[in-house]
Each structure stands twice: as structure tokens, then as C-alpha cells.
Amino acid sequence: MLSDAERKASLHASLSEVGWTPCQDVWVYGYGSLIWRPEFDFSEQRQALLRGYHRALCLWSRINRGTPEEPGLVFGLDVGGSCRGMAFRIPGSMVPDAFDALWQREMPSGAYIPRWLRCHTSEGDIRALVFTMNRKTDAYVPRMPDEQLMQVVHRARGINGPCIEYVLETASALQRSKMLDKRLQNVVNLLQSYTGQIAPNQA
């Protein structure tokens, strides 16, 4: 876990990297729960394509969507491919509060690496803050067999609710916005098949 000082240092380093000033708006890129539960005020949102990373269930969740004894999985941006998500424009006056909340939410353990990356939108390219996966953390999960993935997602539950709820909420948010993610849709299809198979045994 990062200390408060380490988390604040990371936040300030990210803003310093782009030479942020209090009057400057910034963009934040969401690819998971930020799409459907941003928890910060924004003045604009756009669908955005990020190249070089893809959405994957590659991060153990031992609190929010699981426990230390039975961890769940949450999305991270792993290297390779591309990802369609949502970019949010935060007014300059709101950046300090929004970023403080973001760092508490996304950076409690240092599992992500915040980067400023180019994202493509229908209204032109933007540079947005993106939380990418830190492969060096022990919370990083390389690709696992489908059967194991289904078991983890179906069974795990944390303080924010079931892991499966998180996965399906993200899939629904993408579907509502007409953003295609073949990998995630495959996971959803597998979950439907898996839960259908185990339902009789739970009766």
C-alpha cells in the first residue's frame, strides 16, 4: 500500500509532467468502472480510442471486488492492442479535488502507472491521464485459463459487491455507448455459459 505522502507525491508528479496550472482543464480516460461510475464532476465526455493498450481482467482485487482469501479480478490496461473507452474533461478549478479523489480510488497500492497518453476522439486527438497496469506489482495477473477466470469472477465478492456485477456493469456501459470490445464480450458469453452450467448444482 502507498502511504499518503507517496500517493500525494505521485499525484503532483503527474500534474507537473504536463505543466498543469490551476486554470488548465485536463482529460481523464476511463476504461472500467470510471465509465459508469466516475465519481467526479466533468464538463464534457467523449468516446476515445487508446492505442497500445487493451482492457483486461489482469488485476487482483482483494478489497473492492474480493477478499485476501478469495480475491476477485478487476480491469487494468495491459500492453498491446487498443481500447475504446470514455474521456472526461475536468475543469481546471475542479482538478485538485477530482485528482485527489482519483488517486485515493485508483492508486492505493501503486498497481497502476499514471501516464499522459494520446487518445483519438471524433473531435480530434486529446492527451489524457490514463491509469495503465504496473506489471511489476504482485497484484498483476497474466492471462489465466478461461475456466479459472470464470470461477474467480463468479465467486469473488468484496466491499463494493460481487466481482461478476463489476464485469457485467462494465460490459453494459460499453454496450450502451456502442463501444465494441470483443475480449470483454467473450468473457460475458463465457460467464453466461458458466453460470448456466452451475445453476442446477446451486438449486
Side-chain angles (χ1 to χ4, degrees):
M1 298 293 287
L2 294 184
S3 66
D4 287 343
E6 289 172 326
R7 190 167 59 245
K8 288 179 181 178
S10 171
L11 188 163
H12 292 312
S14 288
L15 289 175
S16 296
E17 185 180 339
V18 289
W20 180 79
T21 58
C23 61
Q24 181 182 354
D25 295 358
V26 298
W27 289 92
V28 172
Y29 179 81
Y31 57 87
S33 61
L34 280 179
I35 295 176
W36 46 273
R37 187 168 54 86
E39 295 184 333
F40 54 76
D41 293 325
F42 54 89
S43 58
E44 183 183 357
Q45 70 180 63
R46 299 180 190 174
Q47 291 189 25
L49 173 66
L50 174 67
R51 293 193 171 98
Y53 295 87
H54 66 278
R55 183 188 294 106
L57 289 166
C58 60
L59 177 62
W60 287 123
S61 177
R62 298 182 175 95
I63 297 176
N64 291 338
R65 297 291 175 171
T67 64
E69 297 76 23
E70 192 163 48
L73 288 166
V74 292
F75 291 108
L77 281 176
D78 209 355
V79 294
S82 63
C83 179
R84 294 191 180 276
M86 195 71 71
F88 301 91
R89 185 173 191 155
I90 302 177
S93 61
M94 298 180 181
V95 168
D97 287 342
F99 269 50
D100 185 59
L102 267 174
W103 251 255
Q104 290 189 48
R105 171 175 171 168
E106 305 293 335
M107 293 290 289
S109 65
Y112 295 130
I113 301 174
R115 304 180 192 273
W116 295 94
L117 301 175
R118 185 175 299 279
C119 299
H120 307 275
T121 81
S122 60
E123 299 174 56
D125 290 356
I126 58 173
R127 193 180 186 194
L129 177 74
V130 182
F131 291 98
T132 64
M133 189 65 221
N134 179 5
R135 284 188 163 196
K136 295 181 179 179
T137 178
D138 63 1
Y140 173 65
V141 184
R143 182 174 175 82
M144 63 173 60
D146 289 342
E147 179 68 19
Q148 182 183 1
L149 180 69
M150 294 304 104
Q151 291 177 4
V152 170
V153 171
H154 187 262
R155 294 176 182 174
R157 174 187 292 267
I159 61 173
N160 287 345
C163 183
I164 191 171
E165 176 185 77
Y166 163 85
V167 173
L168 295 179
E169 282 277 12
T170 303
S172 294
L174 291 173
Q175 187 176 38
R176 287 193 300 271
S177 298
K178 295 180 171 57
M179 292 188 285
L180 179 64
D181 185 325
K182 292 182 179 180
R183 292 186 184 89
L184 179 51
Q185 189 56 52
N186 182 55
V187 170
V188 171
N189 292 341
L190 286 171
L191 279 170
Q192 291 174 339
S193 174
Y194 182 81
T195 55
Q197 290 173 1
I198 67 171
N201 297 329
Q202 289 185 327

